[in-house]
Amino acid sequence: NNYSSVVLIFLFSILPIFSNYNSALLRDPIFTAFVLLSLTFLYDICSSDASKLDDEKFFIKFILVLTLLCLSRNNGFFILIGIVGSLLLSYKRYFKKIFVLFIVVLTISNVTLFLPDNMNKEQLFQEKVAIPLQQIAFVLKEGGLSVEDLNYLSKLMPNNTMKLNYNPYNVDTIKWSPFFNREYLNDTKMQFMKIWFKNLIPNFESYLKAYFLHTYDLWSIKEFNREQTVFLGLDLRDERVTVYFDKLKHVDVFPKTLQSFLENYYEKFTVSLNGGSMFFILLIFVIICLQKRPKYYLIFIPFIFNWLSLMIACPLPHAMRYMCCFIYGLPILFLITFSNVKE
C-alpha cells in the first residue's frame, strides 16, 4: 500500500549504505535487483495459488528474471535450484510448467559458456575451493600433513609462507598472494582434491574449526571484521580511489555546512548488521510467516539459498557485498511478514 511504499522510500533514501551500493561498480547490486524481482514474482505466485504461471506474459517475464539472476552471479544457479524445488514441492500440479521453466532458464543462462572468449578462458580453480584451501592451510599450520602433501603444497606456495599468510577469516591472503601459484593449482585440480579428501577423516576436527572460522560472519551475530561492513572503509584503502576521493572532497556541490554534514554522515553511518545477524532476523520472519501465511515461505527462498551457497563456497564471508541482497530485502520482507493481509 501507499504507506508501505513511503516507509521503504524513506528508508532507502536515508541510509547511506543503499546509495553507496547503488553507485558501486560491483555486480552485487545488479544481482540484488534480480533477487528482489524474483521475490515479487514469487509473491504473486503465492497470492494467486500459482495460477499466475498460466499467464504467458508473467511466465516469460519470470523466465527472464531467473535467467538474469543466474547470469549476474555464480550462486544464482544455486538460488534457481531452491526456487524450482520449492515451487515443485508447493505446486505439484504445475510440474510440467515448472520443469519447462527450469530447463529454459538453465539452457539460456549457460549459452554464454559457449561463446568463443569463454571457451578459450579457463576459470581460476582457486575461486571454487576457498574453504578447502583454508582447511588445508589450517592443517598445515598445525603440522598435520604428510611429507608428500607438503611437497605438493610447496609448489603451490612455500610452506612457511602459507603458514604466515593463513588468516582464518580471509582466504585472499593466500589465493591472491604473489607467492601463490594459481596456474599450478589449475593444472593439478585432481591432485589438490585428493589431498583434501585424504586428510578429511584424520583431520576432521581441524577441518571443522577451519570451516567455522572462515564462515564466522555468516552464522555469528557478533561481527568479526567491521572493515568490510563499513563500505567506504574498503574502498579508501586503494590509493587510486583516495586520489579521486580527495579531489571530490574539495568540490562544493552544496553549501559548505551541508556538504560537511553529508560527508561526515556518509563516512560514519555507511554501516550494516553483519551477515549472521541478518540471517537470524530472516529466520524470525520465516517462523512468523509460517504461522500467519504458510504458503508465502517461498518469498524467503532466494535469500535462504543465497546464504546457503555462501556457507558452501564463499571466498570472503565477512564482505558485505555477498549479503547485499539481505540489506535491501529485509525491509521489504519485514513489511510482507507483518502485513495484515490474510489468506
Side-chain angles (χ1 to χ4, degrees):
N1 57 37
N2 291 335
Y3 173 75
S4 299
S5 300
V6 170
V7 171
L8 285 177
I9 290 169
F10 176 76
L11 187 63
F12 290 136
S13 302
I14 203 68
L15 296 180
I17 196 164
F18 294 115
S19 55
N20 278 329
Y21 269 114
N22 289 343
S23 60
L25 293 176
L26 299 167
R27 73 180 76 176
D28 308 283
I30 299 169
F31 171 77
T32 293
F34 294 123
V35 170
L36 296 181
L37 278 173
S38 70
L39 183 160
T40 64
F41 278 86
L42 290 171
Y43 184 88
D44 286 341
I45 289 170
C46 294
S47 59
S48 68
D49 198 26
S51 64
K52 270 283 188 180
L53 292 172
D54 292 322
D55 183 332
E56 286 188 12
K57 287 184 179 179
F58 178 90
F59 191 68
I60 292 169
K61 288 178 183 177
F62 193 31
I63 287 175
L64 179 63
V65 167
L66 293 181
T67 301
L68 292 171
L69 175 67
C70 291
L71 290 172
S72 59
R73 209 165 75 185
N74 291 336
N75 57 341
F77 174 72
F78 197 77
I79 294 173
L80 173 68
I81 295 292
I83 290 173
V84 169
S86 302
L87 285 172
L88 288 172
L89 188 67
S90 300
Y91 303 106
K92 295 182 181 68
R93 66 184 185 279
Y94 283 94
F95 175 84
K96 288 183 180 179
K97 202 94 176 180
I98 296 166
F99 182 73
V100 168
L101 178 142
F102 176 67
I103 295 300
V104 172
V105 171
L106 193 62
T107 303
I108 298 174
S109 59
N110 281 289
V111 164
T112 56
L113 296 176
F114 301 99
L115 295 176
D117 286 347
N118 288 335
M119 288 182 73
N120 299 325
K121 188 192 296 180
E122 187 177 9
Q123 298 295 316
L124 288 175
F125 188 58
Q126 66 183 46
E127 298 304 308
K128 299 177 181 178
V129 289
I131 292 174
L133 262 176
Q134 288 288 75
Q135 292 168 323
I136 290 291
F138 185 91
V139 175
L140 168 68
K141 197 161 187 175
E142 287 195 328
L145 295 176
S146 67
V147 175
E148 183 186 352
D149 295 342
L150 291 173
N151 286 336
Y152 169 78
L153 286 179
S154 67
K155 295 174 186 176
L156 281 181
M157 190 179 201
N159 293 156
N160 287 332
T161 306
M162 186 176 279
K163 286 180 185 178
L164 290 172
N165 280 37
Y166 172 67
N167 179 333
Y169 312 99
N170 185 358
V171 72
D172 281 3
T173 55
I174 291 177
K175 69 184 179 78
W176 291 118
S177 165
F179 301 104
F180 186 73
N181 192 339
R182 51 195 59 86
E183 289 77 18
Y184 182 71
L185 178 62
N186 264 30
D187 294 336
T188 58
K189 299 183 188 79
M190 289 304 297
Q191 192 175 348
F192 175 81
M193 292 312 300
K194 282 179 183 177
I195 289 172
W196 184 84
F197 277 112
K198 186 178 76 173
N199 286 281
L200 176 60
I201 302 302
N203 295 289
F204 187 71
E205 187 177 339
S206 296
Y207 271 32
L208 276 181
K209 285 180 182 177
Y211 172 75
F212 284 114
L213 285 171
H214 180 71
T215 58
Y216 181 84
D217 261 308
L218 291 173
W219 56 263
S220 172
I221 60 172
K222 182 181 179 182
E223 70 182 2
F224 158 71
N225 191 334
R226 193 165 182 78
E227 172 190 86
Q228 291 278 354
T229 307
V230 182
F231 186 78
L232 287 178
L234 177 65
D235 282 350
L236 293 181
R237 295 184 308 173
D238 189 334
E239 289 181 7
R240 294 168 299 177
V241 175
T242 56
V243 170
Y244 291 105
F245 185 76
D246 288 338
K247 286 180 182 178
L248 286 172
K249 271 196 163 186
H250 300 294
V251 177
D252 293 331
V253 179
F254 301 107
K256 286 187 178 180
T257 306
L258 178 59
Q259 181 102 356
S260 177
F261 168 78
L262 289 174
E263 285 174 5
N264 291 328
Y265 180 67
Y266 266 70
E267 288 184 33
K268 290 180 181 177
F269 294 98
T270 303
V271 295
S272 172
L273 295 170
N274 75 324
S277 299
M278 290 194 288
F279 178 70
F280 283 112
I281 290 171
L282 181 82
L283 286 184
I284 292 170
F285 291 173
V286 172
I287 292 168
I288 293 170
C289 187
L290 286 173
Q291 292 176 338
K292 292 177 66 178
R293 293 181 287 169
K295 69 182 181 182
Y296 283 84
Y297 81 93
L298 277 169
I299 63 173
F300 299 98
I301 293 299
F303 301 90
I304 292 171
F305 274 77
N306 179 71
W307 181 84
L308 287 172
S309 69
L310 297 178
M311 287 292 288
I312 292 170
C314 185
L316 201 62
H318 61 271
M320 282 311 302
R321 68 189 192 88
Y322 293 111
M323 291 288 283
C324 186
C325 64
F326 276 71
I327 299 171
Y328 283 81
L330 283 178
I332 299 169
L333 293 172
F334 171 82
L335 289 176
I336 294 174
T337 301
F338 292 96
S339 65
N340 292 321
V341 179
K342 295 180 180 179
E343 290 286 358

